[in-house]
Amino acid sequence: MDVEILSRIQFAFTISFHYIYPPLSIGLGLCMVFMEGLYLKTKNPLYEQMTRYFTRIFALIFGIGVATGIVMEFEFGTNWATYSKYVGDVFGSALAAEGIFAFALESGFLGVLIFGWNKVSPRVHFLSTIMVTLGSMFSAIWIVVANSWQQTPAGFHIVGEGLDARAEITDFWAMVFNPSSLERISHVWIGAFLSGAFLVTSIAAWYIVKKKHLEFAKAAFTIGLFVALFSSYAQVVVGHKSAEVVAEYQPAKLAAMEGHFPENEKADMYLFGWVNKEKQTVKGLSIPGGLSFLVHYNFTAPVKGLNAFPVKDRPGNPNLVFQSYHLMIACGMLMIALTSLAAWYWKKGSLFEKTWLMKIFVWAVLLPQLANEAGWFTAETGRQPWVVYGLLRTSDALSASVKAGQVLFSLVLFALVYSLLLVLFLYLLNKKIIHGPALHADEMHSPQLEEMSDRFGEKKMP
């Protein structure tokens, strides 16, 4: 393989691994806000116990997420030096904003969230939970803004020529609110809410199946279920708005998402299928005119197909874009079906007697993860061959000096290190789940936590 393919695989591998954790921390943070808010409102110690328990899992996810995110900044310099030079002004401002407005807020209050129990008042602790959650959401804003600018560039001009060319910001807010930012941010946020909510329901469902910590598990499952139910339906609306933006600004990507080749004809929407690039056909089950309706609210309206674009300017692997997109949609539909069914049984008062459904929820934690990863692959492979849409090709964004052997070596190294990190994460998560929530006050105030807490704070509150 050449250096471009290896560099793309390496970046896809590292960001896919990293992208497991930030959505989990955002979604779990939102669930913890509801849990602690219920504790303040009802004074029921069950909700305090719940918040403490999930705070420990949040800290684990946050730590792994930070560790795995650092690598990508090095990759920009080692493998993608031309790209880094080209977008340095844009990415630099967005990443700086993330550090100032988001990461500082998140990490600043994280210590209070983890070690502040019994050292600050319940309201101040609740405020820290909200701030950490908001910080993680703000962090997502700036990362998505930077990525959205690559998809739909705005608020810039190009200075220099050839290898010296670079994008210089002329309107910061036009760059921030580029044509796809708002739709993509809301799409990513809701995907994150689903990740956190399904993690809560998965852990709670496991306790219910095992008949352990039942009162705790039923209450936690209910909170997770309603966050997931609202988010899964909201994602339909937000996802549709995102597709409309893709149709307007990246029509070649939209055509690849549905394997639509004719230059300008009515387009079907596939429920599933397989794209034959050479024959320019799709075999599968489709809704006739479905894509035309999605774009124009008319089942017979023409939609630009891949043949409307020069071969060199359209995605080289439309089947990969198609399969990623349809995997994301399938996961989304399954989440709607599962949460709706569970909510129906909850209303009838028989939800927690349905052991078969609880077993499904234990494994359903994978659905939002698959959907998030598939959505990212759709966005990034559908943008090809551009790394900055219409401006800079991926093949032109590489570092001039990097060799294929060097990239392959570092890819193997990353695969080993990340495999170890994944094993460590799953081991620690499993250990926390098996241990379960603290059942008694003395367990909530374990000597280890007290010692760490004392190091963090000045003095205990009386």
Side-chain angles (χ1 to χ4, degrees):
M1 284 186 278
D2 63 23
V3 67
E4 180 189 343
I5 294 297
L6 284 167
S7 296
R8 287 179 61 185
I9 290 173
Q10 185 182 97
F11 192 76
F13 173 75
T14 50
I15 200 168
S16 298
F17 188 82
H18 173 66
Y19 197 39
I20 295 171
Y21 306 100
L24 276 175
S25 61
I26 294 172
L28 187 56
L30 180 69
C31 292
M32 286 161 50
V33 168
F34 288 129
M35 291 167 185
E36 195 165 7
L38 283 169
Y39 169 61
L40 285 182
K41 182 178 173 63
T42 64
K43 303 301 179 190
N44 184 342
L46 180 69
Y47 294 114
E48 182 197 9
Q49 178 194 46
M50 197 180 296
T51 313
R52 285 176 180 263
Y53 173 73
F54 282 105
T55 296
R56 295 176 190 178
I57 292 177
F58 179 93
L60 172 64
I61 294 168
F62 182 86
I64 299 281
V66 171
T68 55
I70 295 170
V71 172
M72 286 176 289
E73 296 186 19
F74 287 104
E75 284 181 62
F76 289 144
T78 55
N79 298 0
W80 303 99
T82 306
Y83 160 82
S84 298
K85 187 177 180 182
Y86 192 87
V87 303
D89 284 13
V90 178
F91 255 65
S93 60
L95 293 180
E98 189 215 1
I100 295 169
F101 300 115
F103 192 71
L105 180 68
E106 188 179 11
S107 55
F109 279 93
L110 185 64
V112 181
L113 171 63
I114 297 173
F115 302 115
W117 298 101
N118 309 315
K119 292 189 175 299
V120 298
S121 70
R123 290 182 184 279
V124 171
H125 193 274
F126 180 50
L127 176 67
S128 72
T129 308
I130 294 174
M131 290 297 106
V132 168
T133 304
L134 285 178
S136 63
M137 293 175 68
F138 288 160
S139 181
I141 286 177
W142 292 106
I143 298 301
V144 174
V145 161
N147 186 274
S148 296
W149 184 86
Q150 292 176 231
Q151 309 278 348
T152 53
F156 73 101
H157 66 180
I158 301 297
V159 296
E161 294 181 354
L163 292 176
D164 293 326
R166 62 183 179 83
E168 190 175 82
I169 296 174
T170 55
D171 185 336
F172 179 76
W173 294 113
M175 182 275 289
V176 171
F177 294 103
N178 65 72
S180 64
S181 283
L182 294 180
E183 286 78 8
R184 299 180 84 242
I185 287 167
S186 51
H187 198 40
V188 167
W189 273 351
I190 293 175
F193 298 159
L194 284 165
S195 291
F198 269 87
L199 177 64
V200 172
T201 56
S202 174
I203 294 171
W206 189 78
Y207 288 141
I208 292 167
V209 170
K210 296 292 180 183
K211 302 188 186 308
K212 296 169 64 178
H213 318 299
L214 286 178
E215 186 184 6
F216 169 92
K218 290 176 181 178
F221 189 96
T222 303
I223 293 171
L225 172 62
F226 283 97
V227 173
L229 180 69
F230 173 80
S231 301
S232 59
Y233 277 94
Q235 194 67 296
V236 175
V237 179
V238 172
H240 175 69
K241 294 299 293 180
S242 287
E244 286 185 332
V245 172
V246 172
E248 183 173 357
Y249 293 95
Q250 296 176 297
K253 178 193 287 188
L254 183 78
M257 286 159 62
E258 288 293 352
H260 180 56
F261 284 91
E263 195 165 324
N264 208 24
E265 294 180 7
K266 180 190 83 170
D268 300 340
M269 179 184 289
Y270 282 86
L271 302 180
F272 58 86
W274 188 263
V275 180
N276 187 319
K277 180 183 167 185
E278 283 69 36
K279 295 181 179 177
Q280 300 195 348
T281 57
V282 182
K283 283 188 177 178
L285 182 63
S286 67
I287 301 171
L291 184 60
S292 295
F293 184 79
L294 175 73
V295 176
H296 301 293
Y297 299 99
N298 181 337
F299 283 103
T300 59
V303 175
K304 273 189 177 180
L306 288 167
N307 290 339
F309 307 90
V311 173
K312 63 183 178 63
D313 291 342
R314 64 196 198 200
N317 191 344
N319 194 41
L320 178 59
V321 185
F322 180 99
Q323 300 303 340
S324 303
Y325 174 66
H326 285 80
L327 176 60
M328 177 186 70
I329 298 294
C331 291
M333 293 299 108
L334 280 173
M335 285 188 275
I336 288 175
L338 265 180
T339 53
S340 300
L341 184 63
W344 185 63
Y345 280 129
W346 179 84
K347 191 176 180 183
K348 289 178 66 177
S350 59
L351 172 63
F352 302 117
E353 298 165 12
K354 309 293 179 186
T355 306
W356 60 271
L357 187 56
M358 291 297 105
K359 288 180 179 176
I360 292 175
F361 265 97
V362 170
W363 290 102
V365 67
L366 298 175
L367 286 175
Q369 294 296 337
L370 284 173
N372 288 340
E373 299 286 351
W376 181 83
F377 269 89
T378 304
E380 302 308 300
T381 57
R383 186 185 57 197
Q384 299 303 318
W386 305 100
V387 67
V388 181
Y389 200 71
L391 294 173
L392 180 66
R393 291 179 184 277
T394 306
S395 56
D396 296 330
L398 290 162
S399 300
S401 58
V402 71
K403 307 297 181 193
Q406 296 169 329
V407 180
L408 180 61
F409 175 76
S410 56
L411 175 60
V412 172
L413 198 61
F414 284 143
L416 289 172
V417 173
Y418 279 21
S419 296
L420 289 173
L421 277 176
L422 181 62
V423 170
L424 177 65
F425 171 71
L426 293 176
Y427 169 76
L428 292 174
L429 181 61
N430 186 57
K431 194 174 176 183
K432 289 179 186 301
I433 292 171
I434 289 174
H435 179 272
L439 299 177
H440 307 290
D442 57 343
E443 196 175 352
M444 281 200 256
H445 303 281
S446 67
Q448 292 86 356
L449 277 178
E450 288 297 312
E451 183 183 349
M452 294 170 73
S453 184
D454 287 342
R455 288 177 184 171
F456 173 75
E458 292 292 331
K459 291 181 179 178
K460 292 182 180 177
M461 288 186 68

